[in-house]
Amino acid sequence: MDLLACFQLLLLSHLLTVNCSPGPLLDVVVDRYDIPKVCPREVEIEDFVRYHFNGTFFEDGKKFDSSYDRGKAFISQVGLGRLIAGMDRGLLGMCVNERRRVTVPPHLAYGSIGTGGIIPPDAVLVYDVLLLDIWNEKDKVEIRTLNKPASCRRTTAASDFVRYHYNGTLLSGELFDSSYSRNATYDTYLGQGDLIKGMDEGLLGMCIGERRLIIVPPFLAYGENGYGTMIPPQATLVFEVLIVDVFNPKDDVIVEAKEVPKGCTRTTVTGDYIRYHYNGTFQDGTLFDSSYQRNSTYNTYIGMGYVIQGMDKALQGLCIGEKRRVVIPPHLAYGEKGVGDFIPGSAVLVFDIHVIDFHNPKDPVNIKVTHKPQECNMRSEADDLIQYRYNCSLMDGTLLYTSDQYDSLSITTLGANNVILGLEEGLRGMCVGERREVVIPPHFGHGENEAGGVPRSAVLFFELELVELQKGVPEGYMFVWVGDGPDPLFPAMDLDGDKQVPLEEFSVFIRLQVQGGKGRLRPGIDADSIIKDMFDNQDRNKDGKIVEDELTVTEDDVSKQARDEL
């Protein structure tokens, strides 16, 4: 039979005796008057214990000793003769936070001699005990997983840097420290001696978001010295830990493609200007910033130092419309300092980004013909009046404008600066019935300014169809000859040969030239008004008719008549 069994047998035999005999005490009497509901461990032989007590005499209740009065719990090992025999027996089977009243007869205390003038001979002693701690030299760090995320891509390892929250208590449940009360994580390297040995061991193999209970015996914590006034000597420490962040100084940016559009023909490179949306979170999922909340993309140049180093790397090789998750370690983000109360020091950042568009300042207007009619006798050019259909979208497909929303088609004169430069270029050289897709970088669009629903620095996508084309005349002219005009001019104008040309005859002459393809009026302006202005300019004496003497201009001056600033 081992020593513990012998003690337990003696204790049981004593309890039977005390209930039946009113005589002198033969053994220890234990009154367990306050037992905790949960008792994960009981005192065994060779365990070390830390406890408070009040010691009184059984006879008169007078106090002879108290750990409370000394302000320091008593520490000893049980069952090896370091305590009086009665206490060696009386502490067995005790739980942390249990309160006992242990009555010890003289022969198991200080006997017939007493001690030091404090305890008289043959004194029965009563110890009122509160157990605070139990440990054994064979104890190891105890780890209990409280909660572990379903997905765990990485676990903590030696040399990693971790950020974690914790509540630190003694084994009795008394709180000695908490990162939560400081509203700041505890940040440190693992396996480099920056932590007590037990925590270095207990934090290994944890996932971000995992919760653990780590129980550290005193010799793997602060040992005989304790720590200040917070942690007493030989204290077992209990840490409830939540891992918030982990990285290694050797980590690089991690890029995970979430969604890559099909048919991607161009990806981002250094020097490109990009517009993207993002959600920025920490590794525990806490949101710290979002472009969506501002309803505005983040716009920047790539690879030129305008964003954190990790993001500069992560923005390379992206397609328009692509979605990525980017994990950036702090040495490629905001480092040990963080950003005020916004981003804590040594924080790993996670960005979920969605590329809206990108361009290069050297990009031209990109034109793709999607349909071309078999017959194409005329192509649009400067000064032509055209009618066209269009859809205008952002590169992510967001429709901004469409000609279908209006009652009539869009009309413009090419070269008159009525539309943005990129659209002007996209509309030139088209045949009636031709359809095009035109990509316009912002430097040929609306630039860095917002314009009627068009975001700043936006690349625009136009779907165009030319519906009607009227050939135009140069700026400042109302009429031009197509080829050489009549020579001499006046006889050609004098249709009835009466040596004079009234307005009606002049109007018929000009319309005949237009109908015959020999002359061209400025499109988009009332023809009668143009012809009247031309006539009035030649009718120098204002008598309502033109004679040959009044037609003293050079051959092509008729083209310049009624010149006006359009």
mmCIF file of all heavy atoms in Angstrom, residues 307-339:
data_model
loop_
_atom_site.group_PDB
_atom_site.id
_atom_site.type_symbol
_atom_site.label_atom_id
_atom_site.label_comp_id
_atom_site.label_asym_id
_atom_site.label_seq_id
_atom_site.Cartn_x
_atom_site.Cartn_y
_atom_site.Cartn_z
ATOM 1 N N VAL A 307 1.753 54.268 -52.264
ATOM 2 C CA VAL A 307 1.058 53.413 -51.300
ATOM 3 C C VAL A 307 2.100 52.604 -50.543
ATOM 4 O O VAL A 307 3.285 52.625 -50.881
ATOM 5 C CB VAL A 307 0.058 52.474 -52.007
ATOM 6 C CG1 VAL A 307 -1.094 53.263 -52.581
ATOM 7 C CG2 VAL A 307 0.745 51.659 -53.099
ATOM 8 N N ILE A 308 1.672 51.871 -49.502
ATOM 9 C CA ILE A 308 2.620 51.067 -48.732
ATOM 10 C C ILE A 308 3.295 50.048 -49.656
ATOM 11 O O ILE A 308 2.736 49.634 -50.672
ATOM 12 C CB ILE A 308 1.925 50.361 -47.557
ATOM 13 C CG1 ILE A 308 0.741 49.518 -48.028
ATOM 14 C CG2 ILE A 308 1.498 51.351 -46.495
ATOM 15 C CD1 ILE A 308 0.068 48.723 -46.926
ATOM 16 N N GLN A 309 4.488 49.659 -49.271
ATOM 17 C CA GLN A 309 5.313 48.821 -50.131
ATOM 18 C C GLN A 309 4.617 47.521 -50.530
ATOM 19 O O GLN A 309 4.685 47.086 -51.682
ATOM 20 C CB GLN A 309 6.631 48.508 -49.409
ATOM 21 C CG GLN A 309 7.655 47.780 -50.268
ATOM 22 C CD GLN A 309 8.961 47.564 -49.527
ATOM 23 O OE1 GLN A 309 9.167 48.094 -48.433
ATOM 24 N NE2 GLN A 309 9.842 46.774 -50.108
ATOM 25 N N GLY A 310 3.943 46.903 -49.578
ATOM 26 C CA GLY A 310 3.252 45.650 -49.871
ATOM 27 C C GLY A 310 2.140 45.811 -50.885
ATOM 28 O O GLY A 310 1.925 44.939 -51.732
ATOM 29 N N MET A 311 1.425 46.922 -50.821
ATOM 30 C CA MET A 311 0.345 47.162 -51.777
ATOM 31 C C MET A 311 0.905 47.467 -53.158
ATOM 32 O O MET A 311 0.344 47.039 -54.178
ATOM 33 C CB MET A 311 -0.553 48.297 -51.296
ATOM 34 C CG MET A 311 -1.787 48.509 -52.161
ATOM 35 S SD MET A 311 -2.854 47.047 -52.262
ATOM 36 C CE MET A 311 -3.783 47.222 -50.755
ATOM 37 N N ASP A 312 2.023 48.184 -53.214
ATOM 38 C CA ASP A 312 2.673 48.437 -54.497
ATOM 39 C C ASP A 312 2.992 47.119 -55.209
ATOM 40 O O ASP A 312 2.852 47.010 -56.430
ATOM 41 C CB ASP A 312 3.958 49.246 -54.293
ATOM 42 C CG ASP A 312 3.824 50.675 -54.815
ATOM 43 O OD1 ASP A 312 2.838 50.964 -55.523
ATOM 44 O OD2 ASP A 312 4.695 51.503 -54.518
ATOM 45 N N LYS A 313 3.430 46.119 -54.439
ATOM 46 C CA LYS A 313 3.741 44.813 -55.023
ATOM 47 C C LYS A 313 2.462 44.082 -55.424
ATOM 48 O O LYS A 313 2.386 43.467 -56.491
ATOM 49 C CB LYS A 313 4.536 43.960 -54.028
ATOM 50 C CG LYS A 313 5.913 44.490 -53.693
ATOM 51 C CD LYS A 313 6.649 43.597 -52.714
ATOM 52 C CE LYS A 313 7.021 42.264 -53.331
ATOM 53 N NZ LYS A 313 7.872 41.448 -52.452
ATOM 54 N N ALA A 314 1.454 44.166 -54.572
ATOM 55 C CA ALA A 314 0.228 43.403 -54.787
ATOM 56 C C ALA A 314 -0.597 43.919 -55.968
ATOM 57 O O ALA A 314 -1.406 43.181 -56.519
ATOM 58 C CB ALA A 314 -0.617 43.415 -53.521
ATOM 59 N N LEU A 315 -0.405 45.174 -56.339
ATOM 60 C CA LEU A 315 -1.194 45.769 -57.424
ATOM 61 C C LEU A 315 -0.609 45.456 -58.804
ATOM 62 O O LEU A 315 -1.169 45.877 -59.810
ATOM 63 C CB LEU A 315 -1.294 47.287 -57.237
ATOM 64 C CG LEU A 315 -2.149 47.763 -56.053
ATOM 65 C CD1 LEU A 315 -2.077 49.272 -55.915
ATOM 66 C CD2 LEU A 315 -3.596 47.308 -56.191
ATOM 67 N N GLN A 316 0.480 44.719 -58.846
ATOM 68 C CA GLN A 316 1.083 44.347 -60.125
ATOM 69 C C GLN A 316 0.343 43.141 -60.713
ATOM 70 O O GLN A 316 -0.084 42.237 -59.995
ATOM 71 C CB GLN A 316 2.555 43.969 -59.921
ATOM 72 C CG GLN A 316 3.412 45.054 -59.291
ATOM 73 C CD GLN A 316 3.961 46.028 -60.313
ATOM 74 O OE1 GLN A 316 3.792 45.846 -61.523
ATOM 75 N NE2 GLN A 316 4.623 47.078 -59.849
ATOM 76 N N GLY A 317 0.209 43.132 -62.030
ATOM 77 C CA GLY A 317 -0.339 41.963 -62.714
ATOM 78 C C GLY A 317 -1.832 41.770 -62.581
ATOM 79 O O GLY A 317 -2.324 40.649 -62.712
ATOM 80 N N LEU A 318 -2.573 42.829 -62.337
ATOM 81 C CA LEU A 318 -4.027 42.748 -62.168
ATOM 82 C C LEU A 318 -4.763 43.018 -63.479
ATOM 83 O O LEU A 318 -4.307 43.801 -64.316
ATOM 84 C CB LEU A 318 -4.494 43.761 -61.127
ATOM 85 C CG LEU A 318 -4.296 43.379 -59.663
ATOM 86 C CD1 LEU A 318 -4.297 44.629 -58.798
ATOM 87 C CD2 LEU A 318 -5.394 42.430 -59.213
ATOM 88 N N CYS A 319 -5.915 42.378 -63.614
ATOM 89 C CA CYS A 319 -6.819 42.642 -64.739
ATOM 90 C C CYS A 319 -7.934 43.585 -64.278
ATOM 91 O O CYS A 319 -8.270 43.619 -63.092
ATOM 92 C CB CYS A 319 -7.474 41.351 -65.217
ATOM 93 S SG CYS A 319 -6.319 40.076 -65.760
ATOM 94 N N ILE A 320 -8.518 44.298 -65.223
ATOM 95 C CA ILE A 320 -9.712 45.076 -64.910
ATOM 96 C C ILE A 320 -10.818 44.101 -64.510
ATOM 97 O O ILE A 320 -11.059 43.107 -65.188
ATOM 98 C CB ILE A 320 -10.138 45.939 -66.101
ATOM 99 C CG1 ILE A 320 -9.139 47.076 -66.319
ATOM 100 C CG2 ILE A 320 -11.540 46.498 -65.892
ATOM 101 C CD1 ILE A 320 -9.415 47.920 -67.532
ATOM 102 N N GLY A 321 -11.459 44.379 -63.373
ATOM 103 C CA GLY A 321 -12.513 43.514 -62.875
ATOM 104 C C GLY A 321 -12.031 42.420 -61.944
ATOM 105 O O GLY A 321 -12.843 41.716 -61.335
ATOM 106 N N GLU A 322 -10.720 42.263 -61.806
ATOM 107 C CA GLU A 322 -10.190 41.191 -60.953
ATOM 108 C C GLU A 322 -10.410 41.515 -59.479
ATOM 109 O O GLU A 322 -10.359 42.666 -59.060
ATOM 110 C CB GLU A 322 -8.700 40.990 -61.216
ATOM 111 C CG GLU A 322 -8.086 39.851 -60.416
ATOM 112 C CD GLU A 322 -6.665 39.518 -60.831
ATOM 113 O OE1 GLU A 322 -6.251 39.945 -61.935
ATOM 114 O OE2 GLU A 322 -5.961 38.843 -60.067
ATOM 115 N N LYS A 323 -10.628 40.439 -58.697
ATOM 116 C CA LYS A 323 -10.753 40.561 -57.250
ATOM 117 C C LYS A 323 -9.637 39.749 -56.605
ATOM 118 O O LYS A 323 -9.416 38.591 -56.973
ATOM 119 C CB LYS A 323 -12.116 40.074 -56.769
ATOM 120 C CG LYS A 323 -13.272 40.942 -57.258
ATOM 121 C CD LYS A 323 -14.609 40.433 -56.740
ATOM 122 C CE LYS A 323 -15.749 41.327 -57.212
ATOM 123 N NZ LYS A 323 -17.070 40.856 -56.711
ATOM 124 N N ARG A 324 -8.952 40.362 -55.645
ATOM 125 C CA ARG A 324 -7.841 39.715 -54.964
ATOM 126 C C ARG A 324 -7.941 39.908 -53.464
ATOM 127 O O ARG A 324 -8.455 40.921 -52.998
ATOM 128 C CB ARG A 324 -6.503 40.328 -55.395
ATOM 129 C CG ARG A 324 -5.902 39.789 -56.637
ATOM 130 C CD ARG A 324 -4.518 40.368 -56.881
ATOM 131 N NE ARG A 324 -3.951 39.872 -58.120
ATOM 132 C CZ ARG A 324 -2.753 40.189 -58.587
ATOM 133 N NH1 ARG A 324 -1.996 41.027 -57.895
ATOM 134 N NH2 ARG A 324 -2.297 39.684 -59.707
ATOM 135 N N ARG A 325 -7.405 38.934 -52.738
ATOM 136 C CA ARG A 325 -7.151 39.125 -51.304
ATOM 137 C C ARG A 325 -5.640 39.252 -51.128
ATOM 138 O O ARG A 325 -4.879 38.417 -51.606
ATOM 139 C CB ARG A 325 -7.692 37.966 -50.475
ATOM 140 C CG ARG A 325 -7.232 38.022 -49.023
ATOM 141 C CD ARG A 325 -8.071 37.148 -48.137
ATOM 142 N NE ARG A 325 -9.400 37.740 -47.964
ATOM 143 C CZ ARG A 325 -10.338 37.214 -47.190
ATOM 144 N NH1 ARG A 325 -10.116 36.083 -46.533
ATOM 145 N NH2 ARG A 325 -11.520 37.798 -47.072
ATOM 146 N N VAL A 326 -5.257 40.300 -50.430
ATOM 147 C CA VAL A 326 -3.835 40.605 -50.251
ATOM 148 C C VAL A 326 -3.531 40.656 -48.764
ATOM 149 O O VAL A 326 -4.180 41.403 -48.023
ATOM 150 C CB VAL A 326 -3.485 41.963 -50.909
ATOM 151 C CG1 VAL A 326 -2.015 42.270 -50.733
ATOM 152 C CG2 VAL A 326 -3.866 41.952 -52.385
ATOM 153 N N VAL A 327 -2.557 39.860 -48.325
ATOM 154 C CA VAL A 327 -2.129 39.854 -46.929
ATOM 155 C C VAL A 327 -0.737 40.463 -46.861
ATOM 156 O O VAL A 327 0.204 39.969 -47.491
ATOM 157 C CB VAL A 327 -2.123 38.427 -46.348
ATOM 158 C CG1 VAL A 327 -1.710 38.459 -44.878
ATOM 159 C CG2 VAL A 327 -3.488 37.775 -46.511
ATOM 160 N N ILE A 328 -0.618 41.559 -46.096
ATOM 161 C CA ILE A 328 0.620 42.329 -46.068
ATOM 162 C C ILE A 328 1.198 42.324 -44.660
ATOM 163 O O ILE A 328 0.563 42.833 -43.725
ATOM 164 C CB ILE A 328 0.380 43.780 -46.536
ATOM 165 C CG1 ILE A 328 -0.244 43.784 -47.939
ATOM 166 C CG2 ILE A 328 1.686 44.569 -46.523
ATOM 167 C CD1 ILE A 328 -0.591 45.152 -48.451
ATOM 168 N N PRO A 329 2.410 41.766 -44.476
ATOM 169 C CA PRO A 329 3.027 41.794 -43.139
ATOM 170 C C PRO A 329 3.423 43.217 -42.768
ATOM 171 O O PRO A 329 3.609 44.068 -43.655
ATOM 172 C CB PRO A 329 4.258 40.893 -43.303
ATOM 173 C CG PRO A 329 4.581 40.947 -44.764
ATOM 174 C CD PRO A 329 3.265 41.114 -45.476
ATOM 175 N N PRO A 330 3.546 43.498 -41.478
ATOM 176 C CA PRO A 330 3.775 44.890 -41.049
ATOM 177 C C PRO A 330 5.050 45.524 -41.578
ATOM 178 O O PRO A 330 5.081 46.727 -41.792
ATOM 179 C CB PRO A 330 3.792 44.791 -39.512
ATOM 180 C CG PRO A 330 3.931 43.355 -39.199
ATOM 181 C CD PRO A 330 3.378 42.585 -40.341
ATOM 182 N N HIS A 331 6.109 44.716 -41.814
ATOM 183 C CA HIS A 331 7.347 45.316 -42.323
ATOM 184 C C HIS A 331 7.202 45.781 -43.775
ATOM 185 O O HIS A 331 8.078 46.466 -44.295
ATOM 186 C CB HIS A 331 8.537 44.352 -42.184
ATOM 187 C CG HIS A 331 8.265 42.961 -42.663
ATOM 188 N ND1 HIS A 331 7.623 42.024 -41.889
ATOM 189 C CD2 HIS A 331 8.550 42.334 -43.829
ATOM 190 C CE1 HIS A 331 7.531 40.880 -42.561
ATOM 191 N NE2 HIS A 331 8.083 41.052 -43.744
ATOM 192 N N LEU A 332 6.092 45.419 -44.415
ATOM 193 C CA LEU A 332 5.774 45.935 -45.749
ATOM 194 C C LEU A 332 4.525 46.818 -45.705
ATOM 195 O O LEU A 332 3.957 47.144 -46.744
ATOM 196 C CB LEU A 332 5.572 44.781 -46.732
ATOM 197 C CG LEU A 332 6.805 43.905 -46.992
ATOM 198 C CD1 LEU A 332 6.453 42.734 -47.897
ATOM 199 C CD2 LEU A 332 7.946 44.718 -47.588
ATOM 200 N N ALA A 333 4.101 47.159 -44.477
ATOM 201 C CA ALA A 333 2.919 48.011 -44.297
ATOM 202 C C ALA A 333 3.314 49.217 -43.433
ATOM 203 O O ALA A 333 4.094 50.054 -43.863
ATOM 204 C CB ALA A 333 1.773 47.221 -43.687
ATOM 205 N N TYR A 334 2.800 49.273 -42.196
ATOM 206 C CA TYR A 334 3.049 50.442 -41.346
ATOM 207 C C TYR A 334 3.982 50.150 -40.180
ATOM 208 O O TYR A 334 4.145 50.980 -39.296
ATOM 209 C CB TYR A 334 1.719 50.998 -40.828
ATOM 210 C CG TYR A 334 0.849 51.546 -41.939
ATOM 211 C CD1 TYR A 334 -0.207 50.801 -42.451
ATOM 212 C CD2 TYR A 334 1.112 52.789 -42.511
ATOM 213 C CE1 TYR A 334 -0.996 51.280 -43.485
ATOM 214 C CE2 TYR A 334 0.334 53.278 -43.543
ATOM 215 C CZ TYR A 334 -0.726 52.519 -44.030
ATOM 216 O OH TYR A 334 -1.496 53.002 -45.061
ATOM 217 N N GLY A 335 4.594 48.946 -40.183
ATOM 218 C CA GLY A 335 5.657 48.639 -39.240
ATOM 219 C C GLY A 335 5.226 48.645 -37.790
ATOM 220 O O GLY A 335 4.061 48.435 -37.452
ATOM 221 N N GLU A 336 6.206 48.881 -36.928
ATOM 222 C CA GLU A 336 5.981 48.817 -35.487
ATOM 223 C C GLU A 336 5.183 50.009 -34.956
ATOM 224 O O GLU A 336 4.615 49.935 -33.876
ATOM 225 C CB GLU A 336 7.320 48.742 -34.752
ATOM 226 C CG GLU A 336 8.121 47.476 -35.058
ATOM 227 C CD GLU A 336 9.447 47.444 -34.331
ATOM 228 O OE1 GLU A 336 9.740 48.416 -33.594
ATOM 229 O OE2 GLU A 336 10.186 46.461 -34.475
ATOM 230 N N LYS A 337 5.157 51.088 -35.706
ATOM 231 C CA LYS A 337 4.488 52.301 -35.223
ATOM 232 C C LYS A 337 2.995 52.294 -35.514
ATOM 233 O O LYS A 337 2.210 52.896 -34.774
ATOM 234 C CB LYS A 337 5.135 53.539 -35.847
ATOM 235 C CG LYS A 337 6.577 53.763 -35.408
ATOM 236 C CD LYS A 337 7.137 55.040 -36.008
ATOM 237 C CE LYS A 337 8.570 55.291 -35.539
ATOM 238 N NZ LYS A 337 9.140 56.523 -36.129
ATOM 239 N N GLY A 338 2.599 51.655 -36.613
ATOM 240 C CA GLY A 338 1.189 51.703 -36.989
ATOM 241 C C GLY A 338 0.799 53.105 -37.433
ATOM 242 O O GLY A 338 1.638 53.929 -37.815
ATOM 243 N N VAL A 339 -0.494 53.400 -37.357
ATOM 244 C CA VAL A 339 -1.009 54.727 -37.733
ATOM 245 C C VAL A 339 -1.983 55.180 -36.656
ATOM 246 O O VAL A 339 -3.172 54.841 -36.681
ATOM 247 C CB VAL A 339 -1.714 54.699 -39.102
ATOM 248 C CG1 VAL A 339 -2.207 56.098 -39.471
ATOM 249 C CG2 VAL A 339 -0.796 54.168 -40.178
#
